[in-house]
PDB file of all heavy atoms in Angstrom:
ATOM      1  N   ASN G 127     101.847 188.169  32.820  1.00  0.00           N
ATOM      2  CA  ASN G 127     102.795 188.057  33.932  1.00  0.00           C
ATOM      3  C   ASN G 127     103.249 189.570  34.228  1.00  0.00           C
ATOM      4  O   ASN G 127     103.295 190.389  33.351  1.00  0.00           O
ATOM      5  CB  ASN G 127     104.077 187.232  33.564  1.00  0.00           C
ATOM      6  CG  ASN G 127     103.622 185.774  33.327  1.00  0.00           C
ATOM      7  OD1 ASN G 127     103.479 185.091  34.289  1.00  0.00           O
ATOM      8  ND2 ASN G 127     103.580 185.305  31.998  1.00  0.00           N
ATOM      9  N   SER G 128     103.468 189.701  35.471  1.00  0.00           N
ATOM     10  CA  SER G 128     103.926 191.112  35.924  1.00  0.00           C
ATOM     11  C   SER G 128     105.500 191.256  35.561  1.00  0.00           C
ATOM     12  O   SER G 128     106.242 190.312  35.248  1.00  0.00           O
ATOM     13  CB  SER G 128     103.888 191.175  37.465  1.00  0.00           C
ATOM     14  OG  SER G 128     104.915 190.278  38.076  1.00  0.00           O
ATOM     15  N   PRO G 129     105.868 192.542  35.275  1.00  0.00           N
ATOM     16  CA  PRO G 129     107.172 192.821  34.887  1.00  0.00           C
ATOM     17  C   PRO G 129     108.184 192.196  35.922  1.00  0.00           C
ATOM     18  O   PRO G 129     109.282 191.733  35.495  1.00  0.00           O
ATOM     19  CB  PRO G 129     107.254 194.330  34.848  1.00  0.00           C
ATOM     20  CG  PRO G 129     106.001 194.694  34.684  1.00  0.00           C
ATOM     21  CD  PRO G 129     105.054 193.681  35.442  1.00  0.00           C
ATOM     22  N   GLN G 130     107.762 192.253  37.191  1.00  0.00           N
ATOM     23  CA  GLN G 130     108.771 191.731  38.319  1.00  0.00           C
ATOM     24  C   GLN G 130     109.063 190.233  38.040  1.00  0.00           C
ATOM     25  O   GLN G 130     110.131 189.776  38.104  1.00  0.00           O
ATOM     26  CB  GLN G 130     108.153 191.914  39.589  1.00  0.00           C
ATOM     27  CG  GLN G 130     108.179 193.439  40.158  1.00  0.00           C
ATOM     28  CD  GLN G 130     106.839 194.150  39.507  1.00  0.00           C
ATOM     29  OE1 GLN G 130     106.150 193.630  38.805  1.00  0.00           O
ATOM     30  NE2 GLN G 130     106.869 195.552  39.952  1.00  0.00           N
ATOM     31  N   THR G 131     107.925 189.522  37.754  1.00  0.00           N
ATOM     32  CA  THR G 131     108.070 188.048  37.565  1.00  0.00           C
ATOM     33  C   THR G 131     109.067 187.805  36.297  1.00  0.00           C
ATOM     34  O   THR G 131     109.925 187.020  36.446  1.00  0.00           O
ATOM     35  CB  THR G 131     106.752 187.396  37.146  1.00  0.00           C
ATOM     36  OG1 THR G 131     105.740 187.761  38.230  1.00  0.00           O
ATOM     37  CG2 THR G 131     106.793 185.895  37.152  1.00  0.00           C
ATOM     38  N   LEU G 132     108.756 188.535  35.271  1.00  0.00           N
ATOM     39  CA  LEU G 132     109.689 188.332  34.028  1.00  0.00           C
ATOM     40  C   LEU G 132     111.151 188.828  34.299  1.00  0.00           C
ATOM     41  O   LEU G 132     112.042 188.129  33.958  1.00  0.00           O
ATOM     42  CB  LEU G 132     109.080 189.200  32.954  1.00  0.00           C
ATOM     43  CG  LEU G 132     107.702 188.871  32.389  1.00  0.00           C
ATOM     44  CD1 LEU G 132     107.164 189.872  31.495  1.00  0.00           C
ATOM     45  CD2 LEU G 132     107.725 187.556  31.722  1.00  0.00           C
ATOM     46  N   ALA G 133     111.237 189.844  35.135  1.00  0.00           N
ATOM     47  CA  ALA G 133     112.712 190.262  35.488  1.00  0.00           C
ATOM     48  C   ALA G 133     113.318 189.174  36.166  1.00  0.00           C
ATOM     49  O   ALA G 133     114.611 188.769  36.076  1.00  0.00           O
ATOM     50  CB  ALA G 133     112.728 191.578  36.164  1.00  0.00           C
ATOM     51  N   ALA G 134     112.513 188.580  37.297  1.00  0.00           N
ATOM     52  CA  ALA G 134     113.097 187.480  38.108  1.00  0.00           C
ATOM     53  C   ALA G 134     113.519 186.350  37.387  1.00  0.00           C
ATOM     54  O   ALA G 134     114.593 185.730  37.538  1.00  0.00           O
ATOM     55  CB  ALA G 134     112.139 187.157  39.238  1.00  0.00           C
ATOM     56  N   VAL G 135     112.659 185.970  36.289  1.00  0.00           N
ATOM     57  CA  VAL G 135     113.023 184.891  35.471  1.00  0.00           C
ATOM     58  C   VAL G 135     114.334 185.181  34.697  1.00  0.00           C
ATOM     59  O   VAL G 135     115.147 184.283  34.517  1.00  0.00           O
ATOM     60  CB  VAL G 135     111.902 184.497  34.460  1.00  0.00           C
ATOM     61  CG1 VAL G 135     112.304 183.648  33.423  1.00  0.00           C
ATOM     62  CG2 VAL G 135     110.691 183.966  35.194  1.00  0.00           C
ATOM     63  N   SER G 136     114.427 186.338  34.214  1.00  0.00           N
ATOM     64  CA  SER G 136     115.550 186.820  33.467  1.00  0.00           C
ATOM     65  C   SER G 136     116.761 186.650  34.313  1.00  0.00           C
ATOM     66  O   SER G 136     117.887 186.131  33.946  1.00  0.00           O
ATOM     67  CB  SER G 136     115.491 188.208  32.975  1.00  0.00           C
ATOM     68  OG  SER G 136     115.117 188.240  31.555  1.00  0.00           O
ATOM     69  N   THR G 137     116.803 187.146  35.512  1.00  0.00           N
ATOM     70  CA  THR G 137     117.844 187.076  36.400  1.00  0.00           C
ATOM     71  C   THR G 137     118.330 185.546  36.676  1.00  0.00           C
ATOM     72  O   THR G 137     119.513 185.327  36.692  1.00  0.00           O
ATOM     73  CB  THR G 137     117.576 187.766  37.787  1.00  0.00           C
ATOM     74  OG1 THR G 137     117.027 189.040  37.451  1.00  0.00           O
ATOM     75  CG2 THR G 137     118.714 187.887  38.676  1.00  0.00           C
ATOM     76  N   ALA G 138     117.245 184.798  36.940  1.00  0.00           N
ATOM     77  CA  ALA G 138     117.682 183.458  37.309  1.00  0.00           C
ATOM     78  C   ALA G 138     118.236 182.553  36.152  1.00  0.00           C
ATOM     79  O   ALA G 138     119.000 181.738  36.444  1.00  0.00           O
ATOM     80  CB  ALA G 138     116.418 182.796  37.943  1.00  0.00           C
ATOM     81  N   CYS G 139     117.589 182.829  34.974  1.00  0.00           N
ATOM     82  CA  CYS G 139     117.946 182.033  33.828  1.00  0.00           C
ATOM     83  C   CYS G 139     119.040 182.519  32.871  1.00  0.00           C
ATOM     84  O   CYS G 139     119.393 181.736  31.991  1.00  0.00           O
ATOM     85  CB  CYS G 139     116.603 181.748  32.989  1.00  0.00           C
ATOM     86  SG  CYS G 139     115.436 180.800  34.062  1.00  0.00           S
ATOM     87  N   ASN G 140     119.416 183.891  33.044  1.00  0.00           N
ATOM     88  CA  ASN G 140     120.432 184.365  32.106  1.00  0.00           C
ATOM     89  C   ASN G 140     121.945 183.947  32.572  1.00  0.00           C
ATOM     90  O   ASN G 140     122.700 184.797  32.943  1.00  0.00           O
ATOM     91  CB  ASN G 140     120.242 185.864  32.035  1.00  0.00           C
ATOM     92  CG  ASN G 140     121.045 186.452  30.939  1.00  0.00           C
ATOM     93  OD1 ASN G 140     121.478 185.730  29.989  1.00  0.00           O
ATOM     94  ND2 ASN G 140     121.303 187.739  30.906  1.00  0.00           N
TER      95      ASN G 140
END
Side-chain angles (χ1 to χ4, degrees):
N127 294 284
S128 71
Q130 289 82 1
T131 310
L132 295 172
V135 168
S136 259
T137 309
C139 295
N140 195 13

